[in-house]
């Protein structure tokens, strides 16, 4: 039995320090889950399905075609998030200059990150995690853009202009619309996402 066998999504692990979380996260790296630490609580995410990964690869191609000087990191790079960096998240994608994360280790500072990407999963925590908690966490550390591909309603939401832990501008469009990514000179024609619609 492993450490993960004792945990369930939203396990009420109280008073867990960042150091304790990082030890558990290293152990979980060999399992079929991803761990994050948001708002003082450890959260468990299952490994994404094939359409989830296909959407990330589609996005990677879109960004790389338009901005060869940027990487959309989809390898599970962790970020220090939340007020005073007392949180840890693994965005589905992180848009940053090429080689931005070289030498930064498993949990990098979000400074210099241009955008983060999340693609919703089919688990019960998606609403609170992807639509609420992560939006607040990314805004709190001043990541300029949070792009959410929401498979529940086949939409793309662009959160931008972070201020005091909230994004002031939120633009939600259905698949098939043209989506501008503020500040990075990238335009997504989201017609390609229709092939992943339910």
């Amino acid at each position: 039995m492993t450490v993960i066998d004792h945990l369930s999504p939203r396990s009420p692990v109280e008073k867990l320090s960042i150091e304790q979380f990082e030890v558990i996260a290293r152990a979980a790296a060999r399992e079929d889950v991803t761990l994050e630490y948001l708002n003082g609580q450890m959260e468990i995410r299952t490994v994404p399905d094939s359409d989830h990964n296909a959407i990330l690869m589609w996005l990677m191609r879109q960004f790389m075609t338009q901005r060869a000087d940027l990487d959309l990191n989809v390898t599970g790079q962790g970020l220090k998030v939340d007020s005073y960096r007392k949180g840890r998240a693994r965005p589905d994608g992180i848009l940053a200059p090429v080689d931005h994360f070289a030498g930064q280790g498993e949990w990098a500072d979000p400074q210099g990150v241009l955008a983060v990407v999340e693609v919703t999963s089919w688990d019960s925590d998606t609403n609170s995690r992807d639509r609420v908690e992560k939006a607040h966490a990314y805004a709190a550390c001043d990541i300029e853009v949070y792009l959410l591909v929401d498979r529940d309603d086949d939409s793309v939401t662009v959160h931008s202009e972070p201020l005091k832990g909230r994004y002031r501008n939120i633009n939600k469009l259905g698949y098939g619309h043209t989506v501008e990514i503020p500040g990075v000179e990238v335009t997504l024609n989201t017609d390609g996402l229709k092939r992943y619609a339910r």
Side-chain angles (χ1 to χ4, degrees):
M1 193 169 256
T2 67
V3 66
I4 300 308
D5 295 323
H6 297 288
L7 301 173
S8 62
R10 297 275 182 190
S11 294
V13 180
E14 299 297 324
K15 307 294 183 193
L16 188 67
S17 72
I18 291 294
E19 293 77 17
Q20 291 168 321
F21 167 76
E22 289 179 353
V23 168
I24 294 169
R26 275 192 294 279
R30 296 181 297 272
E31 301 287 336
D32 60 351
V33 297
T34 298
L35 300 181
E36 296 180 309
Y37 189 69
L38 297 170
N39 298 322
Q41 291 191 338
M42 183 167 59
E43 298 189 8
I44 301 169
R45 294 174 56 187
T46 57
V47 171
D49 60 81
S50 60
D51 281 351
H52 182 282
N53 294 334
I55 290 169
L56 287 172
M57 295 308 294
W58 180 86
L59 285 166
M60 183 187 297
R61 287 190 299 275
Q62 301 306 307
F63 280 104
M64 290 179 70
T65 299
Q66 297 177 52
R67 291 291 306 269
D69 59 323
L70 301 178
D71 281 338
L72 182 63
N73 185 313
V74 296
T75 62
Q77 172 67 53
L79 289 179
K80 298 174 184 177
V81 297
D82 284 334
S83 300
Y84 310 110
R85 309 295 185 257
K86 298 209 185 283
R88 301 289 186 267
R90 291 191 192 278
D92 290 328
I94 306 171
L95 187 68
V98 170
D99 288 335
H100 177 75
F101 294 109
Q104 290 202 44
E106 183 177 6
W107 302 102
D109 190 287
Q111 185 173 1
V113 169
L114 303 173
V116 288
V117 175
E118 296 289 355
V119 177
T120 59
S121 299
W122 303 120
D123 57 25
S124 60
D125 305 20
T126 288
N127 185 58
S128 61
R129 182 184 61 241
D130 292 334
R131 297 184 190 104
V132 179
E133 293 170 4
K134 285 197 170 182
H136 293 168
Y138 297 147
C141 55
D142 293 323
I143 294 175
E144 290 296 321
V145 176
Y146 170 35
L147 178 67
L148 176 64
V149 178
D150 196 325
R151 298 190 294 165
D152 285 335
D153 63 2
D154 300 331
S155 69
V156 176
T157 304
V158 178
H159 302 76
S160 61
E161 299 178 24
L163 180 68
K164 298 180 182 177
R166 300 284 188 266
Y167 285 106
R168 293 186 297 165
N169 188 5
I170 300 173
N171 188 19
K172 182 175 182 174
L173 296 166
Y175 290 178
H177 287 85
T178 299
V179 175
E180 301 283 337
I181 309 301
V184 294
E185 299 173 12
V186 170
T187 302
L188 303 175
N189 178 344
T190 63
D191 238 19
L193 292 174
K194 289 180 179 179
R195 75 184 80 152
Y196 309 112
R198 283 194 132 195

